[in-house]
Amino acid sequence: MTMPLVTLLFASLLVLLNLVLLARVSLSRRQAQIGIGSGGNPALQRRIRVHANFIEQVPLALLLMAVLELSGLAPGWLWGLGAALLLGRVLHAVGLSRTAGYSFGRAVGTLLSWGVLLVASLLGLWVVLFRLA
């Protein structure tokens, strides 16, 4: 069995990003002396949402990537998915961290992340249907 090394690389990089987002929430909580929730603090609330959005998107994308890689999908697809996911999550985090309204980073980051989920799921269906045929 081959190891999903491309997915492992992107999972590792994304976990490092997750730790940065977690640290930002923890530091904000400590500075504001808020143990749970946001306490109505808008900056803390945004940091919590940045992290929560990351957690809502990344695990499914990485799961799909890992299964696709184990299924033998061409590495170029995996590199593209991983790069788009990482870029999308960085852009989204930066954009939403700066403003709760519209921002280029937030919009493009969302599109890239959703695009990765869509393309990976369609590739998964293609792999299954191709192998079943």
Side-chain angles (χ1 to χ4, degrees):
M1 176 178 268
T2 53
M3 295 288 295
L5 296 177
V6 176
T7 303
L8 179 58
L9 170 68
F10 284 106
S12 298
L13 293 171
L14 286 158
V15 166
L16 292 175
L17 177 56
N18 183 45
L19 288 170
V20 169
L21 299 177
L22 278 168
R24 288 172 41 89
V25 171
S26 294
L27 289 172
S28 288
R29 283 188 192 286
R30 187 171 183 193
Q31 287 173 343
Q33 298 181 337
I34 298 170
I36 193 164
S38 68
N41 182 313
L44 175 55
Q45 194 169 32
R46 250 192 343 270
R47 287 183 177 188
I48 290 168
R49 276 309 311 151
V50 168
H51 178 254
N53 192 276
F54 181 95
I55 294 302
E56 293 163 0
Q57 305 287 322
V58 172
L60 282 175
L62 287 173
L63 176 63
L64 278 168
M65 283 180 60
V67 175
L68 286 167
E69 188 166 3
L70 290 170
S71 298
L73 186 69
W77 283 103
L78 296 161
W79 282 100
L81 290 169
L85 181 62
L86 181 60
L87 178 61
R89 293 292 81 205
V90 168
L91 287 172
H92 184 272
V94 170
L96 185 53
S97 292
R98 291 185 177 160
T99 178
Y102 174 84
S103 72
F104 173 83
R106 186 176 182 190
V108 174
T110 298
L111 287 173
L112 283 171
S113 300
W114 289 7
V116 167
L117 290 168
L118 176 64
V119 170
S121 63
L122 292 174
L123 285 168
L125 290 170
W126 181 81
V127 167
V128 168
L129 294 173
F130 179 73
R131 297 243 168 107
L132 289 176

